[in-house]
C-alpha cells in the first residue's frame, strides 16, 4: 500500500501482475494486470494492492522539463486509468528501466527517446481511457498556490481563496480526497 501523496513529477504505473485500487484525487479506480495508470504532477494519489499475492507494478517518474522542447506536449497527458493490450508499453518500460542507471551518452539518448515514445503512446491511451481524472479548478488552484507559497496556514490559505477555514477544509477534502491537515503535513515533509 502506498498512502496518499503527491509530487511535482509525472508518475506512470504499469501493472504486470495482480489487482488493486488506485485513488487519484477524490476518485477511486480498480486496476488489474496490463493496466496503465498516468498521474499528473500535483494530483494526490494512493495505490492499494488487493490481490492476495500482491502486485508487480513498474513505476516511472519524470518531471516534464526532462523532455526539453517536448515538455508542452507531455503536459497534455491527463491522469487516467486504462487497460492496454500488446507489448508496446511493457517493452518501452523495460527499455527505460534497462537504461535508467547508466551514465553512457547513448543510454541517455535511448532513455529520453523511449520516454518520449511512451508519452506519445500514453497520449493516445488517455484519449481512449475509460477512467479519466479531471482535477477541479479549485483543487488545481489550491495545489498550485501551495507549491508556490511557503505559507500553508489554514486560516491564511482559506482567506486567500475567500472561504472560511471550515468550508475550505470540507471543499478541499471533497475535491482531493485527503484532508487539508494531511496534505499540509506532506507539504512540510517535502520541503
Amino acid at each position: 500500500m502506498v498512502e496518499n501523496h503527491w509530487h511535482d513529477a509525472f508518475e506512470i504505473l504499469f501493472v504486470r501482475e495482480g489487482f488493486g485500487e488506485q485513488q487519484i484525487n477524490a476518485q477511486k479506480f480498480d486496476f488489474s494486470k496490463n493496466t496503465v495508470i498516468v498521474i499528473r504532477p500535483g494530483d494526490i494519489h494512493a495505490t492499494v494492492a488487493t490481490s492476495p499475492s500482491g502486485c508487480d507494478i513498474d513505476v516511472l517518474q519524470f518531471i516534464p522539463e526532462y523532455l526539453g522542447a517536448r515538455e508542452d506536449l507531455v503536459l497534455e497527458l491527463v491522469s487516467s486509468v486504462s487497460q492496454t493490450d500488446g507489448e508496446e508499453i511493457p517493452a518501452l518500460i523495460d527499455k527505460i528501466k534497462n537504461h535508467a542507471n547508466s551514465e553512457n551518452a547513448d543510454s541517455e539518448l535511448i532513455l529520453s527517446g523511449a520516454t518520449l515514445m511512451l508519452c506519445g503512446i500514453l497520449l493516445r491511451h488517455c484519449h481512449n481511457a475509460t477512467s479519466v481524472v479531471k482535477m477541479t479548478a479549485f483543487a488545481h488552484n489550491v495545489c498550485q498556490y501551495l507549491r508556490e507559497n511557503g505559507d500553508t496556514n489554514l486560516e491564511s490559505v482559506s482567506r486567500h481563496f475567500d472561504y472560511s477555514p471550515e468550508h475550505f477544509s470540507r471543499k478541499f477534502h471533497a475535491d482531493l480526497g485527503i484532508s487539508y491537515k494531511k496534505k499540509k503535513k506532506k507539504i512540510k515533509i517535502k520541503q
Side-chain angles (χ1 to χ4, degrees):
M1 176 177 164
V2 177
E3 293 186 16
N4 276 324
H5 66 285
W6 69 283
H7 35 74
D8 292 328
F10 274 96
E11 186 166 283
I12 298 166
L13 292 85
F14 179 72
V15 182
R16 292 193 184 260
E17 292 293 333
F19 54 89
E21 182 179 83
Q22 180 67 48
Q23 177 190 333
I24 305 174
N25 297 324
Q27 296 177 279
K28 293 184 179 181
F29 306 95
D30 292 327
F31 65 78
S32 60
K33 183 177 179 175
N34 294 326
T35 299
V36 64
I37 302 165
V38 176
I39 303 166
R40 285 185 55 83
D43 281 356
I44 297 168
H45 55 284
T47 306
V48 178
T50 56
S51 58
S53 58
C55 288
D56 179 10
I57 302 175
D58 291 323
V59 179
L60 168 65
Q61 288 185 344
F62 64 92
I63 57 172
E65 295 84 17
Y66 172 71
L67 299 176
R70 302 289 190 209
E71 173 186 352
D72 57 330
L73 295 175
V74 79
L75 291 174
E76 292 183 28
L77 281 172
V78 295
S79 292
S80 61
V81 178
S82 62
Q83 221 31 49
T84 182
D85 52 3
E87 292 298 315
E88 195 172 27
I89 289 176
L92 280 170
I93 290 174
D94 286 342
K95 185 179 282 193
I96 291 166
K97 285 174 21 182
N98 290 337
H99 292 277
N101 295 320
S102 177
E103 295 185 21
N104 297 334
D106 60 336
S107 284
E108 181 60 32
L109 283 172
I110 292 168
L111 182 62
S112 61
T115 304
L116 275 170
M117 280 184 74
L118 180 62
C119 289
I121 293 165
L122 292 174
L123 275 169
R124 186 175 58 232
H125 270 273
C126 288
H127 295 300
N128 298 326
T130 53
S131 306
V132 175
V133 179
K134 298 280 187 182
M135 185 180 264
T136 65
F138 170 80
H140 174 77
N141 291 338
V142 170
C143 287
Q144 184 174 347
Y145 177 83
L146 293 174
R147 278 193 300 271
E148 293 172 357
N149 297 284
D151 182 16
T152 59
N153 178 283
L154 175 62
E155 287 73 25
S156 60
V157 174
S158 60
R159 192 175 328 112
H160 175 81
F161 289 97
D162 294 324
Y163 286 98
S164 70
E166 296 80 18
H167 187 208
F168 178 87
S169 291
R170 281 193 303 275
K171 182 159 181 55
F172 189 89
H173 190 270
D175 283 16
L176 290 162
I178 187 173
S179 72
Y180 182 77
K181 184 178 178 182
K182 284 184 181 178
K183 172 82 168 176
K184 179 180 167 182
K185 191 179 202 181
K186 291 186 183 303
I187 293 165
K188 285 184 178 178
I189 290 169
K190 185 178 174 225
Q191 293 175 338

